[in-house]
Each structure stands twice: as structure tokens, then as C-alpha cells.
Amino acid sequence: MLAATYRARLSVRVPRGAAGDVEGGVRDLLADVDGVERVDVEDLEGVRPDALDLYVDARATVGFADETDAPEARLQDGFGVLDVTVE
């Protein structure tokens, strides 16, 4: 059961070698953040490729297993997460 759910606007770096599509890469990256139990990617707002990675701007709903007073900080600690704004 989810303890807290947040809508967020994010900028992330997804490795080009990630399996699946861009949306799945964003979902997998956010799902690896400590405490995240569920991720629903709602919109991909921009994709900028470079030699090794895809830089993606997205909106997502993120559910945590526990209450958190600082969802932006917890998401920002995730590997590949560049910027987060909780709406």
C-alpha cells in the first residue's frame, strides 16, 4: 500500500542501452529510487539525445511506500535524476 503519492515534473538522464522505450526507461530509473513503490509516466515533454544518454523531461506520478516530507529531495537522490519539481 502506498503511503504518499506525488505528481512531479522531472528532468532525467536515461542510458541509451536501457531496455524498452523512453517511457519505460524513465519509469525504471524512478522505480530504482529508494522508497519508490509505483511510477506512472504521464507525459514525455522533451527528449534530447547525446552520444551515450537520452535527456528526458517528463511528468510522472510517483508513489512512496512511506510518508516523506521531502519528496523532491528523495527523487533528486536517484541516479540519473537531474531536476525535480513536485506539483
Side-chain angles (χ1 to χ4, degrees), residues 1 7 18 20 40 47 50 56 60 64 69-70 73-74 76 82-83 85:
M1 183 168 169
R7 286 194 70 212
D40 294 317
V47 177
D50 78 356
V56 182
F64 287 90
D69 292 332
R74 287 188 62 184
Q76 189 75 43
L82 307 173
D83 190 44
T85 302

Side-chain angles (χ1 to χ4, degrees), residues 6 8-9 15-16 20 23 30-31 33 35 38 40 46-47 49-50 59-60 65-66 68 71 79 82 84:
Y6 302 93
R9 178 176 280 176
R16 280 186 178 251
E23 184 176 313
L30 295 174
V33 172
R38 182 176 175 177
D40 294 317
V47 177
D50 78 356
R59 286 183 190 239
D66 56 354
T68 179
F79 177 79
L82 307 173
V84 178

